[in-house]
């Protein structure tokens, strides 16, 4: 899996420099998907085995305290893309007040 993962973002480079065919890239990607499907049921245990802290994982979904949804909302609200410069008036006037009203409860 570790050897196959770099292929995804750089498949074109591998095809050019390593004389890989499109079919070989497709087969490697299919094999990677099969590996991921097989380890998925154990993914949380595998990550937990490393003892990584939530802050290192930087994931709202993979929290050890179980507070997934509040953390997910916080990560969205803290994202610079959601700053007023990028957010439309429609969101600011209708959706944001709704989410903050229900967040306080």
């Amino acid at each position: 899996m570790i050897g196959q993962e770099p292929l995804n973002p750089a498949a074109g480079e591998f095809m050019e420099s390593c004389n890989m065919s499109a079919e070989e890239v497709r087969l490697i990607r299919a094999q990677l998907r099969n590996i991921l499907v097989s380890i998925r049921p154990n993914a949380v245990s595998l990550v937990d085995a490393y003892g990584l802290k939530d802050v290192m994982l930087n994931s709202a979904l993979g929290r050890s305290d179980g507070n997934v949804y509040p953390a997910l909302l916080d990560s969205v609200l803290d994202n610079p893309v959601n700053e007023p410069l990028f957010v439309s008036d429609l969101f600011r006037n209708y959706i944001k007040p709704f989410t903050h009203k229900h967040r306080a409860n």
Side-chain angles (χ1 to χ4, degrees):
M1 184 174 95
I2 293 171
Q4 292 171 338
E5 195 282 327
L7 178 67
N8 275 330
E13 291 178 41
F14 277 95
M15 289 172 68
E16 280 184 12
S17 62
C18 300
N19 279 335
M20 291 182 80
S21 69
E23 179 63 13
E24 289 171 318
V25 170
R26 189 193 66 73
L27 289 171
I28 291 170
R29 284 181 172 163
Q31 185 178 18
L32 180 58
R33 275 192 300 275
N34 289 337
I35 291 169
L36 293 173
V37 166
S38 70
I39 67 169
R40 184 177 183 180
N42 301 307
V44 172
S45 298
L46 289 168
V47 172
D48 286 350
Y50 284 100
L52 301 173
K53 302 291 183 198
D54 289 341
V55 71
M56 291 176 69
L57 293 174
N58 193 23
S59 169
L61 298 177
R63 295 184 53 93
S64 59
D65 62 7
N67 293 326
V68 173
Y69 297 108
L72 188 57
L73 181 58
D74 287 341
S75 71
V76 169
L77 294 173
D78 292 341
N79 192 318
V81 172
N82 296 321
E83 290 296 318
L85 179 64
F86 296 100
V87 180
S88 72
D89 289 335
L90 181 66
F91 175 82
R92 263 196 308 281
N93 294 331
Y94 299 100
I95 297 173
K96 188 173 182 180
F98 178 79
T99 58
H100 284 280
K101 176 179 145 190
H102 289 283
R103 187 173 184 214
N105 294 334

